[in-house]
Structure formats: C-alpha cells, structure tokens
Amino acid sequence: MKSILEAPFLVEMIRTTTNMYNHGWDERNGGNISLLLEPEEVAEYLDIRHVIRTIPTGFTAPELEGRYFLVTGTGKYFKNVEVAPDVNLGIVRLVDSGRQAELLWGYSDGGQFTSEFPAHMMSHVARLAVDPANHVVMHCHPANLLAMTYIHDLDERAFTRTLWQMCTECIVVFPEGVNVLPWMLCGTNEIGEATAEKMKTARLVVWAQHGIYGAGKDLDETFGLIETAEKAAEIYLKIAHLPLVNTISDEAMHLLEKRFGIKAREGYLD
Ligand code: 13P
Ligand code: ZN
C-alpha cells in the first residue's frame, strides 16, 4: 500500500494549512479545514476496514453516512501540520447517521477533530445539496474581514456591496455575495446549524468578531474565495476613514456580469 504521506489530498492539505498560517489567518490553533474524500482515494493508502477508535460527534447528519473526511485536529496549530501531519490531522468516516466518526488515520496523540466539526459537517450537507462537487469547508480568522465586522453594518447586502466595490474582480469571484452571522458562541451545534443555513445561498459566511467560513470544490478554490474577500476588506480598512471620491458603480458591475457571464445575487445591484 502506498504511503499516505504521498497522497495528493494530504500534500495539498499540508500546503494549504502552511499557506494559511503564513498569511496570518490562523494564529495559534485558529482555523480548521475539512476535505471530503472519496472512498477509493482513501483505500489506496489505508485499510479502510481498520478503525483505530470511534469518536461521538454530538449531532446527526444522515446525508453524510459513510462519507470520509480529512479534518484538522482541535487545538492544533496550522504551522505544525507540515512537521507532524499524523498528529494534527485525521481521516474519519461518519457512521450511525453521522452520530459517530470512525478514526482511520491521524490524531495520533489521542486528539480529535476540530471543535467546529458541527459547522463543517452541517455546511458540507448544505453545500453538497447545492453543488455535489463541493469538497471543502474552511474556517479561519483573517484580520481585515474580522476588523470590518466591528465598523461596518452587518446587513448582508450592505456588507457584500462594500466588498464588491473594493476590487473589480470581487463580484466575479463571489457573485452570490457573502452571508453574515452575528456573534454567536463558537464550537456549538447552534452555530453549526446557523452557518449551514447561510451556506445554502453563499459559499462565504462571515462570523462577526470571529472569522469566516468558505466552501468550494477544492482547497485552491476555497482558499482563493477567502483570499479575495480578505483583500477587499483590507482595501476597505485602508480607505474607510477617508473621503470617498470614486467607486465601482452598479453600472460597471452590470458590465462585469456580462463580460464574465456571472449573475450577481438577486436584488444586490441597483
Ligand atoms: P479548533 O482548534 O477546535 O479547530 O478551534 C479553532 C477555531 O478557530 C474555533 O473557532
Ligand atoms: Zn475560529
């Protein structure tokens, strides 16, 4: 059997966590990622009949019965994933209608998946219903987006329009906009359910005064979504205290829709 350390999904996960740490999005143990894996790709590297231990999830998700995920560990630092992937990551299979996770690899110090597992799994259910190709849910704490939630109206249309106006290509990258949750207690099923509800209509969900969730078909796409929104928030913070002389008009946004064949969220443009 091939070494799991050579599995493309593991290599890509390590590259992504390292890159996110280097972007300053994941201080200490901040942030978490879950990547949906196909049974055949896991079986190339692991004996999928061998369960190391079973971990209760605290929720049900029958839609994910039998599905495999590579997930960052709770309390683990993204900066350490590259030096000790088997300690900081784990591969689990959901069973018993999602109530239990069978550990097939990783969390080798006795650890377990992220405390945000409910938000991740419930978001996977929501995104898979919209797009069966969705494989990634990613959470992190990018400073500019976070800062923006202290000074900007949290109304989703207003928040989205500001981000779109900060860089020409924002509307192209996330035409559905960003959804926003008010501050809520993290690590709970309640914030998981609220996040999943927001994920039905957008791949980006801001958690006010906390961070952001992104979803996408692969790690690159999801990283790129967050990267683009975070860049827009950075520009907003550079100019928010200055008189605004120019902006990207709604007329210009409509030209972008035509040029790139995208459709802005209904009612978000005048
Ligand atoms: P975990 O260490 O449990 O993944 O938590 C980090 C985090 O960002 C919580 O929102
Ligand atoms: Zn967090």
Side-chain angles (χ1 to χ4, degrees), residues 31-54:
N32 21 77
I33 305 178
S34 56
L35 169 64
L36 176 63
L37 301 172
E38 301 306 332
E40 313 79 61
E41 54 180 344
V42 181
E44 273 186 55
Y45 303 94
L46 295 176
D47 175 1
I48 56 173
R49 292 161 307 178
H50 179 65
V51 176
I52 300 169
R53 57 193 154 95
T54 299

PDB file of all heavy atoms in Angstrom, residues 31-54:
ATOM      1  N   GLY A  31      -8.627  28.438  13.257  1.00  0.00           N
ATOM      2  CA  GLY A  31      -8.974  27.909  11.950  1.00  0.00           C
ATOM      3  C   GLY A  31      -9.053  26.393  11.923  1.00  0.00           C
ATOM      4  O   GLY A  31      -8.510  25.705  12.792  1.00  0.00           O
ATOM      5  N   ASN A  32      -9.769  25.901  10.916  1.00  0.00           N
ATOM      6  CA  ASN A  32      -9.939  24.460  10.725  1.00  0.00           C
ATOM      7  C   ASN A  32     -10.391  24.202   9.293  1.00  0.00           C
ATOM      8  O   ASN A  32     -10.980  25.085   8.660  1.00  0.00           O
ATOM      9  CB  ASN A  32     -10.942  23.868  11.734  1.00  0.00           C
ATOM     10  CG  ASN A  32     -11.873  24.907  12.318  1.00  0.00           C
ATOM     11  OD1 ASN A  32     -12.817  25.328  11.656  1.00  0.00           O
ATOM     12  ND2 ASN A  32     -11.575  25.383  13.511  1.00  0.00           N
ATOM     13  N   ILE A  33     -10.093  23.006   8.801  1.00  0.00           N
ATOM     14  CA  ILE A  33     -10.457  22.636   7.425  1.00  0.00           C
ATOM     15  C   ILE A  33     -11.012  21.217   7.430  1.00  0.00           C
ATOM     16  O   ILE A  33     -10.511  20.354   8.167  1.00  0.00           O
ATOM     17  CB  ILE A  33      -9.236  22.654   6.479  1.00  0.00           C
ATOM     18  CG1 ILE A  33      -8.517  23.997   6.496  1.00  0.00           C
ATOM     19  CG2 ILE A  33      -9.639  22.303   5.050  1.00  0.00           C
ATOM     20  CD1 ILE A  33      -7.267  24.039   5.612  1.00  0.00           C
ATOM     21  N   SER A  34     -12.040  20.985   6.610  1.00  0.00           N
ATOM     22  CA  SER A  34     -12.467  19.606   6.353  1.00  0.00           C
ATOM     23  C   SER A  34     -12.533  19.401   4.848  1.00  0.00           C
ATOM     24  O   SER A  34     -13.023  20.266   4.116  1.00  0.00           O
ATOM     25  CB  SER A  34     -13.824  19.318   7.005  1.00  0.00           C
ATOM     26  OG  SER A  34     -14.790  20.244   6.557  1.00  0.00           O
ATOM     27  N   LEU A  35     -12.007  18.269   4.407  1.00  0.00           N
ATOM     28  CA  LEU A  35     -11.939  17.937   2.980  1.00  0.00           C
ATOM     29  C   LEU A  35     -12.625  16.588   2.771  1.00  0.00           C
ATOM     30  O   LEU A  35     -12.203  15.580   3.354  1.00  0.00           O
ATOM     31  CB  LEU A  35     -10.461  17.870   2.553  1.00  0.00           C
ATOM     32  CG  LEU A  35     -10.133  17.304   1.177  1.00  0.00           C
ATOM     33  CD1 LEU A  35     -10.714  18.156   0.061  1.00  0.00           C
ATOM     34  CD2 LEU A  35      -8.609  17.190   1.003  1.00  0.00           C
ATOM     35  N   LEU A  36     -13.677  16.594   1.977  1.00  0.00           N
ATOM     36  CA  LEU A  36     -14.401  15.356   1.654  1.00  0.00           C
ATOM     37  C   LEU A  36     -13.548  14.497   0.722  1.00  0.00           C
ATOM     38  O   LEU A  36     -13.044  14.990  -0.291  1.00  0.00           O
ATOM     39  CB  LEU A  36     -15.734  15.724   0.979  1.00  0.00           C
ATOM     40  CG  LEU A  36     -16.621  14.600   0.466  1.00  0.00           C
ATOM     41  CD1 LEU A  36     -17.106  13.689   1.586  1.00  0.00           C
ATOM     42  CD2 LEU A  36     -17.826  15.192  -0.281  1.00  0.00           C
ATOM     43  N   LEU A  37     -13.374  13.223   1.095  1.00  0.00           N
ATOM     44  CA  LEU A  37     -12.562  12.309   0.287  1.00  0.00           C
ATOM     45  C   LEU A  37     -13.455  11.199  -0.265  1.00  0.00           C
ATOM     46  O   LEU A  37     -14.433  10.804   0.375  1.00  0.00           O
ATOM     47  CB  LEU A  37     -11.459  11.680   1.148  1.00  0.00           C
ATOM     48  CG  LEU A  37     -10.468  12.634   1.821  1.00  0.00           C
ATOM     49  CD1 LEU A  37      -9.572  11.855   2.793  1.00  0.00           C
ATOM     50  CD2 LEU A  37      -9.606  13.353   0.784  1.00  0.00           C
ATOM     51  N   GLU A  38     -13.096  10.684  -1.420  1.00  0.00           N
ATOM     52  CA  GLU A  38     -13.823   9.544  -1.978  1.00  0.00           C
ATOM     53  C   GLU A  38     -13.245   8.263  -1.377  1.00  0.00           C
ATOM     54  O   GLU A  38     -12.029   8.180  -1.149  1.00  0.00           O
ATOM     55  CB  GLU A  38     -13.693   9.520  -3.506  1.00  0.00           C
ATOM     56  CG  GLU A  38     -14.211  10.776  -4.196  1.00  0.00           C
ATOM     57  CD  GLU A  38     -15.653  11.134  -3.834  1.00  0.00           C
ATOM     58  OE1 GLU A  38     -16.438  10.228  -3.497  1.00  0.00           O
ATOM     59  OE2 GLU A  38     -15.984  12.337  -3.854  1.00  0.00           O
ATOM     60  N   PRO A  39     -14.098   7.244  -1.120  1.00  0.00           N
ATOM     61  CA  PRO A  39     -13.606   6.005  -0.506  1.00  0.00           C
ATOM     62  C   PRO A  39     -12.446   5.387  -1.289  1.00  0.00           C
ATOM     63  O   PRO A  39     -11.478   4.901  -0.703  1.00  0.00           O
ATOM     64  CB  PRO A  39     -14.823   5.079  -0.521  1.00  0.00           C
ATOM     65  CG  PRO A  39     -16.002   5.922  -0.810  1.00  0.00           C
ATOM     66  CD  PRO A  39     -15.542   7.238  -1.362  1.00  0.00           C
ATOM     67  N   GLU A  40     -12.525   5.452  -2.631  1.00  0.00           N
ATOM     68  CA  GLU A  40     -11.468   4.828  -3.447  1.00  0.00           C
ATOM     69  C   GLU A  40     -10.127   5.516  -3.230  1.00  0.00           C
ATOM     70  O   GLU A  40      -9.073   4.863  -3.215  1.00  0.00           O
ATOM     71  CB  GLU A  40     -11.780   4.888  -4.957  1.00  0.00           C
ATOM     72  CG  GLU A  40     -13.179   4.482  -5.361  1.00  0.00           C
ATOM     73  CD  GLU A  40     -14.204   5.583  -5.113  1.00  0.00           C
ATOM     74  OE1 GLU A  40     -14.062   6.673  -5.700  1.00  0.00           O
ATOM     75  OE2 GLU A  40     -15.146   5.332  -4.330  1.00  0.00           O
ATOM     76  N   GLU A  41     -10.137   6.859  -3.074  1.00  0.00           N
ATOM     77  CA  GLU A  41      -8.845   7.531  -2.889  1.00  0.00           C
ATOM     78  C   GLU A  41      -8.270   7.217  -1.520  1.00  0.00           C
ATOM     79  O   GLU A  41      -7.060   7.051  -1.375  1.00  0.00           O
ATOM     80  CB  GLU A  41      -8.877   9.039  -3.206  1.00  0.00           C
ATOM     81  CG  GLU A  41      -9.868   9.872  -2.550  1.00  0.00           C
ATOM     82  CD  GLU A  41      -9.827  11.374  -2.911  1.00  0.00           C
ATOM     83  OE1 GLU A  41      -8.858  11.907  -3.467  1.00  0.00           O
ATOM     84  OE2 GLU A  41     -10.836  12.030  -2.571  1.00  0.00           O
ATOM     85  N   VAL A  42      -9.132   7.043  -0.513  1.00  0.00           N
ATOM     86  CA  VAL A  42      -8.638   6.691   0.825  1.00  0.00           C
ATOM     87  C   VAL A  42      -8.091   5.259   0.795  1.00  0.00           C
ATOM     88  O   VAL A  42      -7.014   4.975   1.356  1.00  0.00           O
ATOM     89  CB  VAL A  42      -9.762   6.813   1.882  1.00  0.00           C
ATOM     90  CG1 VAL A  42      -9.229   6.479   3.274  1.00  0.00           C
ATOM     91  CG2 VAL A  42     -10.351   8.220   1.877  1.00  0.00           C
ATOM     92  N   ALA A  43      -8.818   4.357   0.114  1.00  0.00           N
ATOM     93  CA  ALA A  43      -8.446   2.927   0.102  1.00  0.00           C
ATOM     94  C   ALA A  43      -7.098   2.672  -0.571  1.00  0.00           C
ATOM     95  O   ALA A  43      -6.484   1.631  -0.353  1.00  0.00           O
ATOM     96  CB  ALA A  43      -9.542   2.126  -0.584  1.00  0.00           C
ATOM     97  N   GLU A  44      -6.636   3.631  -1.371  1.00  0.00           N
ATOM     98  CA  GLU A  44      -5.304   3.481  -1.984  1.00  0.00           C
ATOM     99  C   GLU A  44      -4.198   3.558  -0.936  1.00  0.00           C
ATOM    100  O   GLU A  44      -3.093   3.079  -1.151  1.00  0.00           O
ATOM    101  CB  GLU A  44      -5.066   4.612  -2.989  1.00  0.00           C
ATOM    102  CG  GLU A  44      -5.573   4.339  -4.374  1.00  0.00           C
ATOM    103  CD  GLU A  44      -5.148   5.459  -5.320  1.00  0.00           C
ATOM    104  OE1 GLU A  44      -3.939   5.763  -5.419  1.00  0.00           O
ATOM    105  OE2 GLU A  44      -6.051   6.047  -5.938  1.00  0.00           O
ATOM    106  N   TYR A  45      -4.499   4.209   0.201  1.00  0.00           N
ATOM    107  CA  TYR A  45      -3.451   4.492   1.188  1.00  0.00           C
ATOM    108  C   TYR A  45      -3.712   3.864   2.562  1.00  0.00           C
ATOM    109  O   TYR A  45      -2.804   3.800   3.376  1.00  0.00           O
ATOM    110  CB  TYR A  45      -3.300   6.014   1.358  1.00  0.00           C
ATOM    111  CG  TYR A  45      -3.006   6.704   0.052  1.00  0.00           C
ATOM    112  CD1 TYR A  45      -4.041   7.243  -0.712  1.00  0.00           C
ATOM    113  CD2 TYR A  45      -1.699   6.776  -0.436  1.00  0.00           C
ATOM    114  CE1 TYR A  45      -3.773   7.857  -1.940  1.00  0.00           C
ATOM    115  CE2 TYR A  45      -1.432   7.382  -1.652  1.00  0.00           C
ATOM    116  CZ  TYR A  45      -2.481   7.921  -2.390  1.00  0.00           C
ATOM    117  OH  TYR A  45      -2.214   8.509  -3.596  1.00  0.00           O
ATOM    118  N   LEU A  46      -4.965   3.478   2.817  1.00  0.00           N
ATOM    119  CA  LEU A  46      -5.313   2.955   4.147  1.00  0.00           C
ATOM    120  C   LEU A  46      -6.161   1.700   4.007  1.00  0.00           C
ATOM    121  O   LEU A  46      -6.928   1.577   3.036  1.00  0.00           O
ATOM    122  CB  LEU A  46      -6.146   3.986   4.933  1.00  0.00           C
ATOM    123  CG  LEU A  46      -5.516   5.310   5.331  1.00  0.00           C
ATOM    124  CD1 LEU A  46      -6.581   6.179   6.013  1.00  0.00           C
ATOM    125  CD2 LEU A  46      -4.325   5.112   6.270  1.00  0.00           C
ATOM    126  N   ASP A  47      -6.069   0.814   5.000  1.00  0.00           N
ATOM    127  CA  ASP A  47      -7.019  -0.297   5.100  1.00  0.00           C
ATOM    128  C   ASP A  47      -8.275   0.285   5.743  1.00  0.00           C
ATOM    129  O   ASP A  47      -8.304   0.529   6.956  1.00  0.00           O
ATOM    130  CB  ASP A  47      -6.419  -1.413   5.970  1.00  0.00           C
ATOM    131  CG  ASP A  47      -7.431  -2.530   6.192  1.00  0.00           C
ATOM    132  OD1 ASP A  47      -8.564  -2.443   5.659  1.00  0.00           O
ATOM    133  OD2 ASP A  47      -7.095  -3.477   6.925  1.00  0.00           O
ATOM    134  N   ILE A  48      -9.279   0.533   4.925  1.00  0.00           N
ATOM    135  CA  ILE A  48     -10.454   1.256   5.438  1.00  0.00           C
ATOM    136  C   ILE A  48     -11.327   0.383   6.345  1.00  0.00           C
ATOM    137  O   ILE A  48     -12.297   0.867   6.921  1.00  0.00           O
ATOM    138  CB  ILE A  48     -11.296   1.892   4.297  1.00  0.00           C
ATOM    139  CG1 ILE A  48     -11.730   0.844   3.283  1.00  0.00           C
ATOM    140  CG2 ILE A  48     -10.534   3.017   3.624  1.00  0.00           C
ATOM    141  CD1 ILE A  48     -12.704   1.396   2.229  1.00  0.00           C
ATOM    142  N   ARG A  49     -10.946  -0.911   6.494  1.00  0.00           N
ATOM    143  CA  ARG A  49     -11.686  -1.757   7.456  1.00  0.00           C
ATOM    144  C   ARG A  49     -11.117  -1.594   8.860  1.00  0.00           C
ATOM    145  O   ARG A  49     -11.715  -2.025   9.838  1.00  0.00           O
ATOM    146  CB  ARG A  49     -11.612  -3.234   7.043  1.00  0.00           C
ATOM    147  CG  ARG A  49     -12.382  -3.543   5.764  1.00  0.00           C
ATOM    148  CD  ARG A  49     -11.904  -4.832   5.173  1.00  0.00           C
ATOM    149  NE  ARG A  49     -10.429  -4.792   5.004  1.00  0.00           N
ATOM    150  CZ  ARG A  49      -9.691  -5.786   4.546  1.00  0.00           C
ATOM    151  NH1 ARG A  49     -10.251  -6.921   4.222  1.00  0.00           N
ATOM    152  NH2 ARG A  49      -8.379  -5.661   4.422  1.00  0.00           N
ATOM    153  N   HIS A  50      -9.925  -0.988   8.944  1.00  0.00           N
ATOM    154  CA  HIS A  50      -9.261  -0.865  10.245  1.00  0.00           C
ATOM    155  C   HIS A  50      -9.631   0.462  10.920  1.00  0.00           C
ATOM    156  O   HIS A  50      -9.161   1.529  10.526  1.00  0.00           O
ATOM    157  CB  HIS A  50      -7.746  -0.976  10.082  1.00  0.00           C
ATOM    158  CG  HIS A  50      -7.019  -0.827  11.384  1.00  0.00           C
ATOM    159  ND1 HIS A  50      -7.149  -1.728  12.418  1.00  0.00           N
ATOM    160  CD2 HIS A  50      -6.192   0.141  11.851  1.00  0.00           C
ATOM    161  CE1 HIS A  50      -6.425  -1.330  13.439  1.00  0.00           C
ATOM    162  NE2 HIS A  50      -5.835  -0.194  13.133  1.00  0.00           N
ATOM    163  N   VAL A  51     -10.482   0.358  11.945  1.00  0.00           N
ATOM    164  CA  VAL A  51     -10.904   1.560  12.689  1.00  0.00           C
ATOM    165  C   VAL A  51     -10.048   1.674  13.949  1.00  0.00           C
ATOM    166  O   VAL A  51     -10.005   0.748  14.764  1.00  0.00           O
ATOM    167  CB  VAL A  51     -12.409   1.476  13.058  1.00  0.00           C
ATOM    168  CG1 VAL A  51     -12.828   2.674  13.906  1.00  0.00           C
ATOM    169  CG2 VAL A  51     -13.257   1.372  11.792  1.00  0.00           C
ATOM    170  N   ILE A  52      -9.353   2.801  14.111  1.00  0.00           N
ATOM    171  CA  ILE A  52      -8.471   2.996  15.270  1.00  0.00           C
ATOM    172  C   ILE A  52      -9.297   3.227  16.531  1.00  0.00           C
ATOM    173  O   ILE A  52      -9.061   2.639  17.568  1.00  0.00           O
ATOM    174  CB  ILE A  52      -7.510   4.188  15.016  1.00  0.00           C
ATOM    175  CG1 ILE A  52      -6.643   3.910  13.783  1.00  0.00           C
ATOM    176  CG2 ILE A  52      -6.644   4.471  16.251  1.00  0.00           C
ATOM    177  CD1 ILE A  52      -5.857   5.117  13.283  1.00  0.00           C
ATOM    178  N   ARG A  53     -10.268   4.134  16.421  1.00  0.00           N
ATOM    179  CA  ARG A  53     -11.210   4.357  17.521  1.00  0.00           C
ATOM    180  C   ARG A  53     -12.420   5.093  16.968  1.00  0.00           C
ATOM    181  O   ARG A  53     -12.373   5.623  15.845  1.00  0.00           O
ATOM    182  CB  ARG A  53     -10.569   5.123  18.690  1.00  0.00           C
ATOM    183  CG  ARG A  53      -9.967   6.450  18.377  1.00  0.00           C
ATOM    184  CD  ARG A  53      -9.078   6.940  19.553  1.00  0.00           C
ATOM    185  NE  ARG A  53      -8.051   7.841  19.081  1.00  0.00           N
ATOM    186  CZ  ARG A  53      -8.149   9.169  19.069  1.00  0.00           C
ATOM    187  NH1 ARG A  53      -9.230   9.755  19.532  1.00  0.00           N
ATOM    188  NH2 ARG A  53      -7.176   9.927  18.594  1.00  0.00           N
ATOM    189  N   THR A  54     -13.479   5.129  17.767  1.00  0.00           N
ATOM    190  CA  THR A  54     -14.707   5.786  17.332  1.00  0.00           C
ATOM    191  C   THR A  54     -14.956   6.996  18.233  1.00  0.00           C
ATOM    192  O   THR A  54     -14.808   6.916  19.443  1.00  0.00           O
ATOM    193  CB  THR A  54     -15.889   4.793  17.406  1.00  0.00           C
ATOM    194  OG1 THR A  54     -15.581   3.704  16.524  1.00  0.00           O
ATOM    195  CG2 THR A  54     -17.182   5.424  16.956  1.00  0.00           C
TER     196      THR A  54
END
